[in-house]
Amino acid sequence: MVDYKCGYSGLGVGVAVLDTGIYAGHLDFGSRIAAFRDFVSFRRNPYDDNGHGTHVAGIIGGDGTASGGRFTGIAPGCSFIVLKVLDRFGNGRKEVLLKAFRWVLANRELYNIQVVNISVGTTCRSACDNSLLIDGVEQLWDENLVVVAAAGNQGPRPGSITAPGSSRKVITVGSSDMLTGKGAVSGRGPTSECICKPDIVVPGNKVISCGTESPFAYGIKSGTSMSTPVISGACALILEMEPSLSNVEIKRRLLLGADDLGYDRNIQGWGRFNLKKFMETL
């Protein structure tokens, strides 16, 4: 399998996006796609036959060029390392995710990978499947990578956090505007290990971000997949300013700066993400 390398200098914080791919022609990404690896169809050049990954990447770090600055991601100076692990239907296999995790570990220094966005979740058929995915993301975490995973859209029943977001270590993100009432799908804890999850929540309903139809396209999507990249982008942003921060320190800053919504911890985690507080919290 051949890696795509675009020749980007890699000066920005590298964010690995494990998803359906990326539409490299979108103006908001410029030349910041540092690498692309296709674990599904083994194609060399970047593509996205679903649109989910492009939308996620735009939230993380689209620079707003195509919209004249109207729609801008959280960390427009980051670089993207895109690993296609989901097919055109948005489906994937546990084995593929595990291969992608290993690739990230092997290539983290080459591409300055510091943040890993996983807007992917599964309600695995067995506890063994869950444990393999959780072990995989925790290996990334133990190497001081900031791993951010979706809580999943299987809520609102208790215990509906999907793997690998059910890991006690990684930063698990739910959707603050999809917690209760009609359309309440954001996954909630506790996990099978009785861990309170998610860790934090972010608006995820009807989010506008990059599309795949043209270099100027934007689209609307909803779910915890759209909440998760907000946190990944924020982590990249703080690492640009304070590169010595550990993943544990960053997680602590996120939780300390969250706004309490008044819900149970297994619904809202520590609360709704507040970017201003996050950037200022010592």
Side-chain angles (χ1 to χ4, degrees):
M1 196 187 305
V2 179
D3 290 340
Y4 164 90
K5 299 178 183 178
C6 75
Y8 177 66
S9 64
L11 293 178
V13 171
V15 182
V17 183
L18 281 62
D19 217 290
T20 63
I22 190 168
Y23 172 49
H26 202 287
L27 294 179
D28 285 10
F29 302 136
S31 61
R32 291 181 293 120
I33 302 173
F36 174 79
R37 181 87 169 200
D38 182 3
F39 290 90
V40 177
S41 298
F42 313 112
R43 290 163 58 178
R44 182 178 183 275
N45 292 319
Y47 71 102
D48 184 356
D49 50 7
N50 176 279
H52 188 274
T54 298
H55 198 276
V56 165
I59 297 169
I60 293 171
D63 67 7
T65 296
S67 63
R70 184 180 177 193
F71 305 121
T72 305
I74 303 295
C78 75
S79 63
F80 299 102
I81 299 87
V82 181
L83 308 184
K84 182 172 173 59
V85 297
L86 303 178
D87 63 20
R88 64 192 180 96
F89 302 108
N91 298 323
R93 295 184 296 115
K94 170 198 66 183
E95 294 80 7
V96 171
L97 268 176
L98 293 174
K99 286 181 181 178
F101 295 161
R102 291 193 291 270
W103 188 95
V104 169
L105 285 174
N107 292 276
R108 59 174 301 190
E109 292 186 7
L110 178 62
Y111 297 113
N112 192 31
I113 301 172
Q114 299 182 60
V115 181
V116 181
N117 186 91
I118 309 175
S119 288
V120 177
T122 177
T123 52
C124 294
R125 297 173 186 172
S126 70
C128 178
D129 285 346
N130 267 330
S131 65
L132 287 171
L133 284 176
I134 291 170
D135 287 347
V137 293
E138 291 187 350
Q139 286 178 23
L140 299 178
W141 184 269
D142 290 344
E143 291 296 322
N144 199 34
L145 289 164
V146 182
V147 183
V148 187
N153 302 325
Q154 304 297 317
R157 63 180 176 81
S160 53
I161 297 287
T162 55
S166 49
S167 161
R168 69 171 64 222
K169 293 185 178 181
V170 305
I171 300 165
T172 307
V173 188
S175 293
S176 59
D177 48 2
M178 305 175 81
L179 295 176
T180 60
K182 187 177 180 180
V185 300
S186 186
R188 60 177 66 178
T191 70
S192 60
E193 296 182 327
C194 294
I195 304 300
C196 288
K197 285 282 180 174
D199 296 299
I200 199 162
V201 292
V202 181
N205 190 34
K206 298 180 179 178
V207 177
I208 299 174
S209 186
C210 300
T212 57
E213 295 79 11
S214 79
F216 298 90
Y218 292 94
I220 298 174
K221 294 184 184 297
S222 300
T224 59
S225 286
M226 283 59 253
S227 301
T228 303
V230 173
I231 298 300
S232 293
C235 293
L237 194 63
I238 199 72
L239 283 166
E240 288 177 7
M241 298 176 59
E242 300 183 49
S244 64
L245 286 173
S246 70
N247 54 10
V248 173
E249 290 171 326
I250 288 173
K251 185 175 183 179
R252 181 174 179 271
R253 286 176 72 136
L254 280 169
L255 304 188
L256 289 176
D259 295 327
D260 186 0
L261 298 176
Y263 297 120
D264 183 88
R265 279 277 308 281
N266 279 307
I267 298 175
Q268 69 159 22
W270 289 91
R272 183 173 55 205
F273 174 60
N274 185 315
L275 180 60
K276 186 174 185 292
K277 287 184 182 178
F278 173 61
M279 299 302 289
E280 294 175 349
T281 301
L282 299 177

